[in-house]
């Protein structure tokens, strides 16, 4: 993931983030330099000598439970829905969505999708 923000003093500030898997021995976001990101994209591994910094802070102000990737959020969501199958009528989480304050976080909601894409209506008409 690449993020950029504009400040009056420095102009555009770009940061690069990667996330590992449990198999890699780390399963969290790391901030890396451009060279580390390019190597990660090409090989799916970080170089051993690549400088990297753990990301411990979050801009998320929601206070909700969060998962670091969409895949993990959907995996947890499926588990929640399976656990609640026996509780008929109970309000349950219906979808995962990206946090509006921190793109590295995914939350759950019991609300239906608010802004369906233009292709959803076209598919229903067929």
């Amino acid at each position: 993931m690449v993020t950029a923000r504009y400040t009056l003093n420095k102009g555009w500030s770009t940061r690069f983030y990667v996330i590992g898997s449990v198999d890699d021995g780390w399963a969290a976001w790391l901030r890396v330099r451009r060279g580390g990101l390019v190597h990660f994209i090409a090989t799916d591994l970080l170089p051993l000598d690549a400088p990297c910094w753990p990301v411990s802070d979050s801009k998320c102000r929601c206070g909700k439970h969060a998962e670091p990737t969409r895949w993990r959020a959907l995996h947890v969501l499926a588990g929640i829905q399976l656990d609640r199958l026996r509780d008929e009528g109970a309000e349950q989480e219906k979808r995962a969505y990206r946090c509006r304050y921190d793109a590295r976080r995914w939350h759950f909601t019991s609300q239906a999708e608010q802004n369906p894409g233009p292709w959803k209506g076209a598919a229903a008409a067929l």
Side-chain angles (χ1 to χ4, degrees):
M1 168 186 285
V2 178
T3 63
R5 69 177 180 156
Y6 184 79
T7 60
L8 294 176
N9 299 339
K10 297 181 182 179
W12 284 100
S13 173
T14 307
R15 298 212 172 167
F16 308 100
Y17 300 94
V18 297
I19 191 166
S21 66
V22 177
D23 299 334
D24 297 334
W26 52 281
W29 286 102
L30 293 176
R31 193 176 121 209
V32 296
R33 292 197 173 137
R34 184 183 309 264
L37 176 70
V38 171
H39 189 271
F40 184 81
I41 291 170
T43 64
D44 201 28
L45 297 170
L46 276 177
L48 295 175
D49 60 346
C52 56
W53 301 268
V55 179
S56 59
D57 62 332
S58 173
K59 296 176 185 170
C60 177
R61 298 177 287 190
C62 302
K64 299 177 182 177
H65 174 77
E67 293 294 328
T69 64
R70 183 177 187 191
W71 183 89
R72 289 185 192 161
L74 292 175
H75 183 74
V76 170
L77 180 64
I80 291 171
Q81 290 175 339
L82 286 173
D83 287 344
R84 294 192 180 166
L85 276 177
R86 66 180 175 268
D87 300 332
E88 290 186 32
E91 190 71 19
Q92 62 178 306
E93 286 77 4
K94 295 180 177 148
R95 63 183 176 93
Y97 66 96
R98 188 183 295 268
C99 179
R100 61 187 277 191
Y101 299 109
D102 188 348
R104 297 168 297 180
R105 305 282 187 255
W106 289 81
H107 300 300
F108 308 107
T109 183
S110 60
Q111 298 177 358
E113 189 172 0
Q114 295 177 356
N115 296 323
W119 57 87
K120 297 233 179 188
L126 297 175

